[in-house]
Amino acid sequence: MQRQQNNFSIGQQPAIRIGQEFGTPLYVYDGQKIVNQFNTLRNAFQGMPLRLKYAAKALTNLSVLKLLRQAGSDLDVVSIEEARLGMMAGYQPEQIMFTPSGVAFEEITEAVELGIGINIDNLSMLEKLGRKYGSAVPCCIRINPHILAGGNEKIQVGHINSKFGISIDYLPEILRIVKSHRIVINGLHIHTGSDIKQAGAFMQGANVLFEAAMQFPDLAFISFGGGFKVAYREADHATDIDALAAELVPAFRNFCNKYGRDLEIWFEPGKFIVSEAGYLLVRVNVVKQTPAVTFVGVDSGFNHLIRPMFYDAYHEIINLTNPEGVLRKYNVVGYICETDTFAKDRQLPEVREGDILMFRNAGAYGFSMSSNYNSRPRPAEVLVYGGKAHLVRKRETLEDLVRNQVIVDF
Ligand SMILES: *Cc1c(COP(=O)(O)O)cnc(C)c1O
């Protein structure tokens, strides 16, 4: 992690200046960092038939989607709306994989009609898909391998109680439905959760898929999902991508030999691509002393960045406007009328009213999880790329909050 706090810059643009130019609260993304992360993954698997399907839900801004498309990415989407955003950003339908959970069959047929890839995660929808399209529409199957992986229970999605995927124990049922409707299964998929640290978790999942794959003769790819970890604090370990590749590549080659054909290897990284590239800039409204703690109240809250409250996520905070201040301890809180803590007992250079603070690692599941709670407009978004800070989403206004409301004529 870059430690330097003085004159912090984002893509060679001083962060303070960006905050002053576009105002706060403000999301800022470093486009080059996004492209670099994408290339890190791509280079680690060089020589393999690799497809990277950026998990759009992490950050769906159209300009970010477009930037990743130009870098060579495909897309993984979890709603028909995300699929349509992807197409607005220039993705071809065949570059998009639809990996929904618990959606209506009508949404799946809509995706089929758009021509995007389908990933099925329950037996009921597999049966419906087979009955309607038979062999005409190939699909991928999301398998739940029953592996416990990932940092905390809100982001573990591959264990036995998880709602995601079809249990590997139901392989016979899957095969029965596939056979009776002659469904072409073009891929097998796992996504076992976010924040996976060790290559071991991937390998466990991979081995489950390799074994199951022998039963499906029409495969074109195996998808290992996302969940690569990035560092949030200095002591954190990011997923070692090269170590993962060193284990997975020979195992995958070995599997392809047994299978009799070379398949594509897919990943769906979200957080890994955009987390570290994103920053949330906020302004200090009030410094409030109590007998126990000193609160720093900022012009944002969990309406804009929910991760600290929702996942107990740690986000490093930088005081952009007083980097040399004396270190003191603060509780950094939002302006929402609700317990709204960004950071507890956090040591920061002295914070004064009017200072601009910056949260790091805010690119993934930041803006995309934001809301209008307390009737607050959502922040603007800026993408720094090619030596320029581009406004890529305007700040919301009061008009946006009332746009779809109807005042009844009593
Ligand atoms: C959310 C999601 C991802 C991305 O997860 P990250 O932890 O952000 O890498 C990948 N695949 C699927 C199916 C998802 O739902």
Side-chain angles (χ1 to χ4, degrees):
M1 258 201 239
Q2 191 182 350
R3 277 277 120 194
Q4 168 210 359
Q5 298 213 342
N6 281 343
N7 308 317
F8 195 97
S9 36
I10 303 172
Q12 273 102 56
Q13 308 291 311
I16 296 182
R17 217 197 55 214
I18 298 173
Q20 284 161 347
E21 181 179 350
F22 295 95
T24 59
L26 183 74
Y27 273 100
V28 183
Y29 310 117
D30 178 346
Q32 192 56 51
K33 175 73 181 165
I34 292 175
V35 172
N36 291 349
Q37 288 294 99
F38 179 84
N39 287 336
T40 296
L41 266 180
R42 186 161 62 181
N43 295 342
F45 290 90
Q46 209 158 34
M48 297 294 287
L50 175 76
R51 300 228 66 97
L52 293 176
K53 309 253 153 185
Y54 166 62
K57 73 177 190 290
L59 171 58
T60 39
N61 186 285
L62 290 173
S63 295
V64 171
L65 296 182
K66 179 178 166 185
L67 180 69
L68 277 163
R69 176 175 60 76
Q70 288 178 350
S73 188
D74 290 346
L75 218 54
D76 188 79
V77 302
V78 293
S79 69
I80 199 71
E81 287 78 10
E82 280 187 357
R84 291 192 186 277
L85 291 180
M87 289 165 75
M88 284 178 206
Y91 289 83
Q92 297 300 311
E94 55 273 18
Q95 286 182 282
I96 304 175
M97 177 55 104
F98 184 35
T99 306
S101 167
V103 303
F105 186 60
E106 289 70 29
E107 193 169 330
I108 293 174
T109 59
E110 202 179 328
V112 168
E113 276 148 34
L114 285 178
I116 70 181
I118 307 292
N119 193 352
I120 292 288
D121 108 317
N122 62 78
L123 291 173
S124 166
M125 292 295 151
L126 184 64
E127 177 83 51
K128 285 183 179 149
L129 193 79
R131 212 177 291 148
K132 187 168 169 90
Y133 299 108
S135 62
V137 172
C139 75
C140 172
I141 292 180
R142 179 171 188 172
I143 298 283
N144 182 338
H146 304 320
I147 289 167
L148 199 63
N152 88 37
E153 65 180 26
K154 280 187 180 143
I155 52 178
Q156 288 165 348
V157 296
H159 55 86
I160 196 152
N161 295 319
S162 163
K163 73 164 185 167
F164 297 100
I166 304 178
S167 165
I168 188 66
D169 297 345
Y170 293 162
L171 191 55
E173 284 77 5
I174 297 173
L175 290 167
R176 183 181 52 74
I177 295 169
V178 165
K179 200 171 258 174
S180 77
H181 299 290
R182 301 198 172 78
I183 307 172
V184 176
I185 301 302
N186 59 2
L188 292 185
H189 167 270
I190 44 167
H191 171 63
T192 47
S194 212
D195 268 10
I196 293 165
K197 285 189 197 76
Q198 298 105 358
F202 274 98
M203 291 315 300
Q204 266 182 291
N207 288 325
V208 170
L209 284 197
F210 293 157
E211 201 184 315
M214 302 310 289
Q215 316 270 343
F216 298 92
D218 305 316
L219 296 181
F221 63 88
I222 303 249
S223 175
F224 297 101
F228 302 106
K229 191 173 163 54
V230 296
Y232 283 80
R233 358 179 157 217
E234 212 159 14
D236 280 358
H237 292 286
T239 302
D240 185 340
I241 302 294
D242 289 325
L244 171 69
E247 275 202 66
L248 187 55
V249 166
F252 192 79
R253 289 219 166 99
N254 196 25
F255 156 72
C256 288
N257 271 340
K258 258 192 235 156
Y259 188 75
R261 219 147 33 78
D262 280 345
L263 302 187
E264 285 181 350
I265 181 165
W266 290 17
F267 289 104
E268 301 155 358
K271 180 182 281 183
F272 184 81
I273 304 286
V274 293
S275 178
E276 293 165 304
Y279 305 85
L280 175 61
L281 273 58
V282 299
R283 188 175 295 270
V284 176
N285 284 336
V286 62
V287 177
K288 175 175 173 176
Q289 198 84 44
T290 74
V293 275
T294 306
F295 288 100
V296 167
V298 302
D299 63 350
S300 184
F302 72 56
N303 51 326
H304 297 155
L305 181 65
I306 202 173
R307 299 188 74 264
M309 292 303 291
F310 196 51
Y311 299 116
D312 291 326
Y314 178 96
H315 288 265
E316 189 187 336
I317 301 173
I318 291 177
N319 186 347
L320 288 179
T321 38
N322 195 23
E324 311 277 7
V326 180
L327 292 177
R328 297 185 195 284
K329 275 205 174 160
Y330 300 98
N331 281 14
V332 179
V333 297
Y335 61 5
I336 290 297
C337 287
E338 196 92 51
T339 298
D340 189 13
T341 309
F342 283 117
K344 258 192 194 140
D345 287 331
R346 186 69 66 89
Q347 201 164 54
L348 294 172
E350 182 176 15
V351 179
R352 307 154 308 180
E353 293 177 0
D355 273 340
I356 299 179
L357 305 186
M358 184 173 78
F359 295 91
R360 299 189 71 171
N361 265 306
Y365 309 104
F367 189 95
S368 69
M369 290 180 93
S370 65
S371 76
N372 291 121
Y373 187 45
N374 277 203
S375 299
R376 295 293 189 180
R378 287 183 295 173
E381 291 177 291
V382 164
L383 176 63
V384 181
Y385 194 62
K388 259 192 79 179
H390 308 269
L391 183 69
V392 291
R393 187 192 300 262
K394 295 179 196 164
R395 187 176 301 288
E396 283 181 343
T397 63
L398 185 62
E399 285 70 52
D400 294 309
L401 300 183
V402 296
R403 176 167 301 125
N404 293 322
Q405 296 199 48
V406 179
I407 298 183
V408 178
D409 221 356
F410 292 112

